Amino acid sequence: MAMTTELGEQKQLKEVAGIPLQATTVDNWSQIQKFEAKPDDLLICTYPKSGTTWIQEIVDMIEHNGDVEKCQQVIIQHRHPFIEWARPPQPSGVEKASAMPSPRILRTHLPTQLLPPSFWENNCKFLYVARNAKDCMVSYYHFQRMNQILPDPGTWEEYFETFISGKVPWGPWFDHVKGWWEIRDRYEILFLFFEDMKRNLKHEIQKVVHFMGKNLDETVLDKIVQETSFEKMKENPLTNRSTVPKSILDQSISPFMRKGTVGDWKNHFTVSQNERFDQIYREKMEGTSIKFCMDL
Ligand code: PPS
């Protein structure tokens, strides 16, 4: 019984400036906002389900010059502290980052307006990966089904409404992507797309190598491409979340490494949902120059 109550409490969302976040994150908000970034920090930024784990593995392999053994020492969730993570009694993301030697690679799902100010003050490097809204919604739906510490998504029809209204953890996709896109020339931001990574992974990896100030030869690049394929990462226990207990991620409901494709939304959206989504998308994204590919 106690377990159910505890998990029930963990599933709750609270809000910061209108953005729903996990209650434990909101309870730790002052520590998060006071986080002290350093000028040589690199922050991986994503809306949930946009390729965070994928870019983490790529960045880690680049940092270690393609040395698989060096990358495969700890599970992916523990390699790059998650700034807003708070789940007492575990050390928080802020505590883990603060204990880490520089140069640090960190990660967040926060929208620009909620990022701890020291990241802007220190002109840190930001690596943003965006994924088209429809595939993001599908991936998030299945993730909320299997994630036992996030709210239950309900039916697909119900989730469709929840996602559009932005009442999902980390808030609306639309504002998140627009927010990071609009400031991409004002800060040191490398803006990547999940769909481009699917189309030509080597090309996108080269951009990251350059952004990280590294220089890797062709054989190393080819090895990183191979090691970060969906198939390899799905098999790899350090990246597929198989070490996370079922009471947190129940992969019998839906695997964490689910499909990794572009266009799976077509298997979920009805014709009328699609028309309605396109209309809302036009309204919410009006005035931005960002373009997404919805199919390969
Ligand atoms: S999370 O929970 O927010 O950190 O999730 P995130 O890692 O951002 O996104 C998970 C989705 O990314 C897919 N993924 C990949 N696709 C292609 N290639 C590789 N290597 C890869 N690694 C992860 C993963 O399968 C999730 O997408 P869906 O569509 O659900 O399969």
Side-chain angles (χ1 to χ4, degrees), residues 241-253:
R241 304 287 208 274
S242 57
T243 56
V244 179
K246 198 175 174 183
S247 57
I248 297 178
L249 295 183
D250 187 347
Q251 303 219 30
S252 68
I253 297 176

Side-chain angles (χ1 to χ4, degrees), residues 46-56 58 82 107 109 131 135-136 138-140 142-143 147 170 194 197-198 201 227-234 239 241 254-261 264:
T46 49
Y47 185 77
K49 312 321 288 178
S50 300
T52 324
T53 314
W54 195 7
I55 198 71
Q56 279 187 265
I58 291 169
F82 190 12
R107 87 189 134 112
H109 287 322
R131 186 181 194 183
D135 282 330
C136 235
V138 169
S139 181
Y140 214 167
H142 291 293
F143 186 63
N147 189 320
W170 287 280
F194 183 100
M197 290 163 68
K198 284 299 289 189
L201 185 54
E227 292 297 325
T228 58
S229 72
F230 178 78
E231 292 69 27
K232 277 269 186 166
M233 286 182 59
K234 188 176 170 76
T239 53
R241 304 287 208 274
S254 178
F256 180 84
M257 297 290 296
R258 200 182 55 89
K259 288 195 182 172
T261 55
D264 189 36

